[in-house]
Amino acid sequence: MTADANIQKKRLTVMLAINAVCFVLAGVAIYGAVSLRIDWLRLVFLGAIVAGLASHIWFILGWMRATKREGATS
């Protein structure tokens, strides 16, 4: 495996871990906001959604940079 492939594999692992945490956090937050009527948990829910989306963007940008570098060396 090349160095870029190893970096992308690590990025993918980190992104999946962040998404798993955000998924659980968002589920707990929406349960608390809707069922238990704790209004501030809506902000936690939105924050978890934004953090999960940001991890996807971070992964894709890293992938684009690695592809650009790979194309420049070929």
Side-chain angles (χ1 to χ4, degrees):
M1 253 187 196
T2 65
D4 285 338
N6 284 332
I7 291 170
Q8 282 306 102
K9 188 174 181 180
K10 289 178 185 176
R11 273 186 188 263
L12 177 64
T13 304
V14 170
M15 182 194 71
L16 292 174
I18 291 170
N19 282 327
V21 170
C22 288
F23 180 77
V24 171
L25 182 62
V28 170
I30 201 65
Y31 170 76
V34 173
S35 296
L36 303 177
R37 300 188 193 280
I38 303 172
D39 289 333
W40 61 268
L41 282 176
R42 292 177 193 208
L43 293 175
V44 174
F45 174 75
L46 289 174
I49 298 297
V50 169
L53 180 62
S55 73
H56 281 263
I57 293 169
W58 171 72
F59 175 73
I60 292 170
L61 289 176
W63 192 355
M64 288 173 49
R65 259 185 272 140
T67 304
K68 188 183 294 185
R69 268 187 263 134
E70 192 176 287
T73 59
S74 296

